[in-house]
Amino acid sequence: MTAFQRRFDQAVWKIVSGIQRGRVMSYGQIARAAGFPRHARSVSKAMGRSAMPLPWYRVIRSDRTLAFDPGSKAYRKQRGLLEKEGVRFVGGKVVPLDSDRGKSLDESLWGPR
DNA sequence: CCCTTGACTATCT
DNA sequence: GAGATAGCCAAGG
């Protein structure tokens, strides 16, 4: 384990574990919230190193698509878990909630109900 | 060192 | 809005 990983992992786990049911966050958003802007690509690795289970399936791309290859096992798993929490999909993308109308762009994309 | 690899992104066609 | 492109940066070979 490098020093970077120790700090980065801790910060990422904290953010990811805080994502609530029915909500999603992007890799880049998590990296920023964790205090490591520009490290979106490292977020998945940090989650993989976690000993405790994390709601990894609530993490998606900034364009609202899932990071796995559509049709893959992982894709179906993630999508199933999200839909079970009420997250809706249209055209392979996570649908923003209606009740978010009127909020800032960021909130409308990722904010709570 | 140099080169490749990512569960990524912002930007431009 | 979908596809291509360039930028990103730690890790590992």
mmCIF file of all heavy atoms in Angstrom, chain A residues 27-28 41 44 61-62, chain B residues 5-10:
data_model
loop_
_atom_site.group_PDB
_atom_site.id
_atom_site.type_symbol
_atom_site.label_atom_id
_atom_site.label_comp_id
_atom_site.label_asym_id
_atom_site.label_seq_id
_atom_site.Cartn_x
_atom_site.Cartn_y
_atom_site.Cartn_z
ATOM 1 N N TYR A 27 -18.074 9.206 -10.445
ATOM 2 C CA TYR A 27 -16.706 8.969 -9.983
ATOM 3 C C TYR A 27 -16.011 10.300 -9.715
ATOM 4 O O TYR A 27 -15.343 10.475 -8.702
ATOM 5 C CB TYR A 27 -15.930 8.174 -11.035
ATOM 6 C CG TYR A 27 -16.491 6.794 -11.254
ATOM 7 C CD1 TYR A 27 -17.477 6.561 -12.218
ATOM 8 C CD2 TYR A 27 -16.065 5.722 -10.474
ATOM 9 C CE1 TYR A 27 -18.013 5.299 -12.400
ATOM 10 C CE2 TYR A 27 -16.598 4.453 -10.651
ATOM 11 C CZ TYR A 27 -17.576 4.249 -11.618
ATOM 12 O OH TYR A 27 -18.116 3.005 -11.786
ATOM 13 N N GLY A 28 -16.163 11.211 -10.657
ATOM 14 C CA GLY A 28 -15.497 12.499 -10.512
ATOM 15 C C GLY A 28 -16.017 13.286 -9.323
ATOM 16 O O GLY A 28 -15.258 13.951 -8.625
ATOM 17 N N ARG A 41 -10.584 8.331 -12.010
ATOM 18 C CA ARG A 41 -10.214 6.985 -12.449
ATOM 19 C C ARG A 41 -9.709 6.093 -11.340
ATOM 20 O O ARG A 41 -9.580 4.893 -11.524
ATOM 21 C CB ARG A 41 -9.145 7.059 -13.540
ATOM 22 C CG ARG A 41 -9.551 7.912 -14.712
ATOM 23 C CD ARG A 41 -8.565 7.745 -15.839
ATOM 24 N NE ARG A 41 -8.955 6.617 -16.638
ATOM 25 C CZ ARG A 41 -8.952 6.612 -17.960
ATOM 26 N NH1 ARG A 41 -8.564 7.644 -18.631
ATOM 27 N NH2 ARG A 41 -9.331 5.553 -18.608
ATOM 28 N N SER A 44 -12.713 3.706 -8.498
ATOM 29 C CA SER A 44 -13.120 2.296 -8.572
ATOM 30 C C SER A 44 -12.098 1.404 -7.881
ATOM 31 O O SER A 44 -12.445 0.436 -7.212
ATOM 32 C CB SER A 44 -13.276 1.866 -10.021
ATOM 33 O OG SER A 44 -12.042 1.959 -10.707
ATOM 34 N N ARG A 61 -21.244 6.978 -14.089
ATOM 35 C CA ARG A 61 -20.457 7.958 -14.825
ATOM 36 C C ARG A 61 -21.115 9.330 -14.813
ATOM 37 O O ARG A 61 -22.298 9.451 -14.527
ATOM 38 C CB ARG A 61 -20.303 7.528 -16.291
ATOM 39 C CG ARG A 61 -19.471 6.277 -16.486
ATOM 40 C CD ARG A 61 -18.950 6.279 -17.911
ATOM 41 N NE ARG A 61 -18.181 5.078 -18.233
ATOM 42 C CZ ARG A 61 -18.627 4.138 -19.048
ATOM 43 N NH1 ARG A 61 -19.829 4.232 -19.617
ATOM 44 N NH2 ARG A 61 -17.873 3.103 -19.317
ATOM 45 N N SER A 62 -20.330 10.323 -15.179
ATOM 46 C CA SER A 62 -20.838 11.701 -15.178
ATOM 47 C C SER A 62 -21.931 11.888 -16.224
ATOM 48 O O SER A 62 -22.748 12.778 -16.104
ATOM 49 C CB SER A 62 -19.705 12.688 -15.440
ATOM 50 O OG SER A 62 -19.136 12.454 -16.702
ATOM 51 P P DT B 5 -2.357 -1.515 -23.000
ATOM 52 O OP1 DT B 5 -2.557 -2.897 -23.457
ATOM 53 O OP2 DT B 5 -2.733 -0.375 -23.872
ATOM 54 O "O5'" DT B 5 -3.102 -1.348 -21.609
ATOM 55 C "C5'" DT B 5 -2.352 -1.520 -20.446
ATOM 56 C "C4'" DT B 5 -3.247 -1.487 -19.208
ATOM 57 O "O4'" DT B 5 -2.810 -0.380 -18.376
ATOM 58 C "C3'" DT B 5 -4.729 -1.262 -19.435
ATOM 59 O "O3'" DT B 5 -5.434 -1.960 -18.426
ATOM 60 C "C2'" DT B 5 -4.868 0.257 -19.304
ATOM 61 C "C1'" DT B 5 -3.855 0.558 -18.218
ATOM 62 N N1 DT B 5 -3.269 1.903 -18.281
ATOM 63 C C2 DT B 5 -2.967 2.521 -17.085
ATOM 64 O O2 DT B 5 -3.180 2.008 -16.004
ATOM 65 N N3 DT B 5 -2.405 3.764 -17.213
ATOM 66 C C4 DT B 5 -2.124 4.442 -18.382
ATOM 67 O O4 DT B 5 -1.615 5.547 -18.347
ATOM 68 C C5 DT B 5 -2.465 3.733 -19.592
ATOM 69 C C7 DT B 5 -2.204 4.379 -20.896
ATOM 70 C C6 DT B 5 -3.016 2.513 -19.479
ATOM 71 P P DG B 6 -6.953 -2.400 -18.674
ATOM 72 O OP1 DG B 6 -7.379 -3.055 -17.413
ATOM 73 O OP2 DG B 6 -7.178 -3.101 -19.952
ATOM 74 O "O5'" DG B 6 -7.598 -0.988 -18.796
ATOM 75 C "C5'" DG B 6 -8.855 -0.571 -18.335
ATOM 76 C "C4'" DG B 6 -8.851 -0.112 -16.901
ATOM 77 O "O4'" DG B 6 -7.697 0.742 -16.666
ATOM 78 C "C3'" DG B 6 -10.077 0.715 -16.568
ATOM 79 O "O3'" DG B 6 -10.522 0.469 -15.242
ATOM 80 C "C2'" DG B 6 -9.590 2.151 -16.778
ATOM 81 C "C1'" DG B 6 -8.128 2.050 -16.367
ATOM 82 N N9 DG B 6 -7.312 2.969 -17.167
ATOM 83 C C8 DG B 6 -7.137 2.961 -18.528
ATOM 84 N N7 DG B 6 -6.358 3.917 -18.958
ATOM 85 C C5 DG B 6 -5.984 4.586 -17.811
ATOM 86 C C6 DG B 6 -5.145 5.713 -17.643
ATOM 87 O O6 DG B 6 -4.537 6.361 -18.506
ATOM 88 N N1 DG B 6 -5.038 6.082 -16.299
ATOM 89 C C2 DG B 6 -5.668 5.426 -15.259
ATOM 90 N N2 DG B 6 -5.447 5.924 -14.045
ATOM 91 N N3 DG B 6 -6.443 4.379 -15.392
ATOM 92 C C4 DG B 6 -6.556 4.005 -16.694
ATOM 93 P P DA B 7 -11.424 -0.917 -15.138
ATOM 94 O OP1 DA B 7 -10.963 -1.513 -13.903
ATOM 95 O OP2 DA B 7 -11.456 -1.727 -16.406
ATOM 96 O "O5'" DA B 7 -12.858 -0.330 -14.825
ATOM 97 C "C5'" DA B 7 -13.827 -0.104 -15.838
ATOM 98 C "C4'" DA B 7 -14.858 0.839 -15.283
ATOM 99 O "O4'" DA B 7 -15.637 0.119 -14.304
ATOM 100 C "C3'" DA B 7 -14.301 2.055 -14.579
ATOM 101 O "O3'" DA B 7 -15.100 3.185 -14.885
ATOM 102 C "C2'" DA B 7 -14.401 1.708 -13.096
ATOM 103 C "C1'" DA B 7 -15.665 0.842 -13.092
ATOM 104 N N9 DA B 7 -15.686 -0.137 -11.999
ATOM 105 C C8 DA B 7 -14.885 -1.237 -11.851
ATOM 106 N N7 DA B 7 -15.143 -1.929 -10.774
ATOM 107 C C5 DA B 7 -16.195 -1.247 -10.178
ATOM 108 C C6 DA B 7 -16.928 -1.456 -9.007
ATOM 109 N N6 DA B 7 -16.717 -2.481 -8.190
ATOM 110 N N1 DA B 7 -17.890 -0.584 -8.708
ATOM 111 C C2 DA B 7 -18.099 0.438 -9.531
ATOM 112 N N3 DA B 7 -17.482 0.756 -10.658
ATOM 113 C C4 DA B 7 -16.534 -0.139 -10.930
ATOM 114 P P DC B 8 -14.792 4.203 -16.052
ATOM 115 O OP1 DC B 8 -16.075 4.767 -16.354
ATOM 116 O OP2 DC B 8 -13.970 3.605 -17.129
ATOM 117 O "O5'" DC B 8 -13.917 5.317 -15.360
ATOM 118 C "C5'" DC B 8 -14.231 5.884 -14.096
ATOM 119 C "C4'" DC B 8 -14.011 7.368 -14.147
ATOM 120 O "O4'" DC B 8 -12.865 7.660 -14.968
ATOM 121 C "C3'" DC B 8 -15.167 8.167 -14.765
ATOM 122 O "O3'" DC B 8 -15.395 9.357 -13.996
ATOM 123 C "C2'" DC B 8 -14.669 8.506 -16.151
ATOM 124 C "C1'" DC B 8 -13.192 8.647 -15.925
ATOM 125 N N1 DC B 8 -12.428 8.423 -17.164
ATOM 126 C C2 DC B 8 -11.630 9.457 -17.662
ATOM 127 O O2 DC B 8 -11.560 10.524 -17.054
ATOM 128 N N3 DC B 8 -10.953 9.268 -18.818
ATOM 129 C C4 DC B 8 -11.049 8.111 -19.457
ATOM 130 N N4 DC B 8 -10.358 7.973 -20.589
ATOM 131 C C5 DC B 8 -11.837 7.032 -18.960
ATOM 132 C C6 DC B 8 -12.510 7.228 -17.826
ATOM 133 P P DT B 9 -16.712 10.219 -14.308
ATOM 134 O OP1 DT B 9 -17.388 10.376 -13.027
ATOM 135 O OP2 DT B 9 -17.423 9.662 -15.460
ATOM 136 O "O5'" DT B 9 -16.138 11.635 -14.717
ATOM 137 C "C5'" DT B 9 -14.908 11.716 -15.424
ATOM 138 C "C4'" DT B 9 -14.594 13.152 -15.753
ATOM 139 O "O4'" DT B 9 -13.666 13.110 -16.858
ATOM 140 C "C3'" DT B 9 -15.775 13.974 -16.259
ATOM 141 O "O3'" DT B 9 -15.535 15.353 -15.984
ATOM 142 C "C2'" DT B 9 -15.764 13.697 -17.746
ATOM 143 C "C1'" DT B 9 -14.283 13.548 -18.044
ATOM 144 N N1 DT B 9 -13.973 12.555 -19.087
ATOM 145 C C2 DT B 9 -13.017 12.883 -20.012
ATOM 146 O O2 DT B 9 -12.425 13.953 -20.016
ATOM 147 N N3 DT B 9 -12.764 11.913 -20.948
ATOM 148 C C4 DT B 9 -13.357 10.676 -21.050
ATOM 149 O O4 DT B 9 -13.026 9.899 -21.942
ATOM 150 C C5 DT B 9 -14.360 10.399 -20.050
ATOM 151 C C7 DT B 9 -15.074 9.087 -20.079
ATOM 152 C C6 DT B 9 -14.614 11.343 -19.133
ATOM 153 P P DA B 10 -16.737 16.420 -16.198
ATOM 154 O OP1 DA B 10 -16.895 17.072 -14.885
ATOM 155 O OP2 DA B 10 -17.884 15.769 -16.860
ATOM 156 O "O5'" DA B 10 -16.120 17.476 -17.223
ATOM 157 C "C5'" DA B 10 -14.771 17.865 -17.092
ATOM 158 C "C4'" DA B 10 -14.302 18.557 -18.361
ATOM 159 O "O4'" DA B 10 -14.007 17.565 -19.378
ATOM 160 C "C3'" DA B 10 -15.343 19.487 -18.958
ATOM 161 O "O3'" DA B 10 -14.676 20.636 -19.465
ATOM 162 C "C2'" DA B 10 -15.989 18.639 -20.058
ATOM 163 C "C1'" DA B 10 -14.816 17.769 -20.519
ATOM 164 N N9 DA B 10 -15.214 16.453 -21.010
ATOM 165 C C8 DA B 10 -16.221 15.642 -20.539
ATOM 166 N N7 DA B 10 -16.314 14.488 -21.171
ATOM 167 C C5 DA B 10 -15.300 14.548 -22.116
ATOM 168 C C6 DA B 10 -14.871 13.635 -23.098
ATOM 169 N N6 DA B 10 -15.412 12.442 -23.296
ATOM 170 N N1 DA B 10 -13.832 14.008 -23.879
ATOM 171 C C2 DA B 10 -13.272 15.207 -23.682
ATOM 172 N N3 DA B 10 -13.583 16.149 -22.792
ATOM 173 C C4 DA B 10 -14.614 15.749 -22.030
#
